[in-house]
Amino acid sequence: MSAAPYGHDGADRVTDGPKGPPAADAAADAAADAAPGTGPGTGADSAPGPGLYGPRSVTWQCHADPVMWIAGVRALYLQALHPRAVRGVMENSDFRRDAWGRLLRTADFVGTLTYGTTEAAERAGARVRAIHRGLSATDPATGERFPVDDPELLLWVHCAQIDSFLHILRRSGVPLTDAQADRYVDENRVNARLVGLDPVGVPATTAGLAAYFDEIRPRLAVGADARAVDDFLRSPPTHPVLVPGRNLLWRPLADLAYGTLPAYAHRLYGRPAPASPTVTRRLRLTGLALRSVPADLRWQLPPGHILRAMRRMGPGSRPSPHALRTSAAILDRPGRVERDHEHDDGGGSRTWLSPD
């Protein structure tokens, strides 16, 4: 799923900062009460309730799609373009030594926020915020020390992540209408709150997200840190026995994720991308191939939040892109409010999701 540079995923083992549990524990502890086999009414993840999103949300339906793994790699490429954000990674994580574990812990954190109970998600966010408060890094251009929980950096990480998730989902064929895409951006301001941002200042629509990228683009650059991320993503360290598998499976997916970046990102990295129609065709074919694997089998893989959520809430909570099609006409209807189906958007207001 997500591959946020630091802290957002609750995944990195801190190498500089106060003693205490690593940020990886944020997601692990949040999900600890949700071990498979937990009986009804026991443990935080088996308590009744839909959590922060719930089956009526666009986020619930989308985050179960297997292309989210590609979206996570795209997010890393994009996030590395902010010199301070990527410096925070290099100084405070074991990014290059434990890539696969990081990716799984990232998925665990996003899965907890999306499919776990409200209590589990809030606890995961609180642990991440606590870790962030003790970390700092050095600006590669000025030598200035800065906190990694600087709101500008948290906002960049969040926006790059949500943009990547939404871009890959739609481009790979998930049938999101424009209204549903806006709703997805709005819903995930809850995620922004959990990592320490004021949701009022976080983009709530796709137009707002685009305006944010237009505003921040002059501050983006590719230095040594971003090139290290690029090199790593193209050829992550792997046991010699697994190198053929890496080259066969990982490298094409990483290349595909890179190919989906915006044109300015390709210019900054200095590497050409395939023609846009070629990238779209490859992404759609890859999406079809990944979705051909039965969902019940895919969801057995760690961290397993979706299956636990379905056990908690019943078979009607099963995530499916088809649910987005049936609700599209209602979601596209402007100004519709229904108090029986309100959802906290994280910014102190309530937004209507969908009917039963």
Side-chain angles (χ1 to χ4, degrees), residues 267-306:
R267 290 193 294 269
L268 288 172
Y269 276 114
R271 290 204 289 123
S276 181
T278 301
V279 173
T280 300
R281 183 169 60 254
R282 286 181 56 203
L283 185 58
R284 293 214 167 202
L285 289 173
T286 302
L288 286 172
L290 292 174
R291 292 168 193 135
S292 69
V293 179
D296 289 344
L297 177 61
R298 287 190 272 110
W299 295 340
Q300 294 286 348
L301 297 173
H305 292 292
I306 298 170

Side-chain angles (χ1 to χ4, degrees), residues 1 9 11 35 61 125 173 213-214 223 259 282 292 307 321 345:
M1 285 181 157
D9 58 358
Q61 304 302 337
F213 281 106
D214 287 342
R282 286 181 56 203
S292 69
L307 292 177
D345 67 3

Side-chain angles (χ1 to χ4, degrees), residues 62-86:
C62 286
H63 280 187
D65 196 282
V67 299
M68 290 290 288
W69 294 97
I70 301 173
V73 177
R74 183 190 191 267
L76 265 181
Y77 271 120
L78 194 56
Q79 289 161 344
L81 295 178
H82 194 299
R84 281 196 171 195
V86 71

Side-chain angles (χ1 to χ4, degrees), residues 4-201:
Y6 55 81
H8 258 198
D9 58 358
D12 295 327
R13 290 185 170 82
V14 176
T15 58
D16 176 25
K19 297 295 183 182
D25 293 343
D29 285 2
D33 294 328
T38 301
T42 61
D45 209 33
S46 60
L52 293 176
Y53 293 98
R56 297 187 181 97
S57 71
V58 177
T59 300
W60 182 283
Q61 304 302 337
C62 286
H63 280 187
D65 196 282
V67 299
M68 290 290 288
W69 294 97
I70 301 173
V73 177
R74 183 190 191 267
L76 265 181
Y77 271 120
L78 194 56
Q79 289 161 344
L81 295 178
H82 194 299
R84 281 196 171 195
V86 71
R87 174 74 337 221
V89 178
M90 298 305 182
E91 289 192 26
N92 294 291
S93 80
D94 57 358
F95 173 76
R96 281 172 283 197
R97 293 191 301 274
D98 187 26
W100 309 117
R102 174 189 167 80
L103 192 60
L104 288 175
R105 291 189 299 271
T106 298
D108 189 31
F109 184 73
V110 175
T112 297
L113 268 55
T114 306
Y115 299 108
T117 64
T118 298
E119 293 78 10
E122 293 285 353
R123 187 162 62 248
R127 292 290 299 278
V128 168
R129 295 193 303 273
I131 292 295
H132 277 180
R133 282 195 292 272
L135 300 180
S136 63
T138 302
D139 188 299
T142 67
E144 173 191 4
R145 293 295 292 182
F146 62 89
V148 301
D149 62 355
D150 181 336
E152 177 185 331
L153 302 184
L154 295 180
L155 183 60
W156 166 252
V157 169
H158 171 80
C159 290
Q161 174 178 290
I162 296 306
D163 178 79
S164 292
F165 288 1
L166 187 57
H167 181 91
I168 294 295
L169 285 163
R170 300 188 85 181
R171 196 169 177 180
S172 68
V174 174
L176 287 172
T177 67
D178 290 345
Q180 289 173 327
D182 281 342
R183 192 168 298 276
Y184 177 81
V185 176
D186 186 30
E187 287 171 359
N188 279 277
R189 291 193 295 154
V190 176
N191 185 331
R193 174 181 63 78
L194 286 177
V195 298
L197 286 165
D198 181 353
V200 173

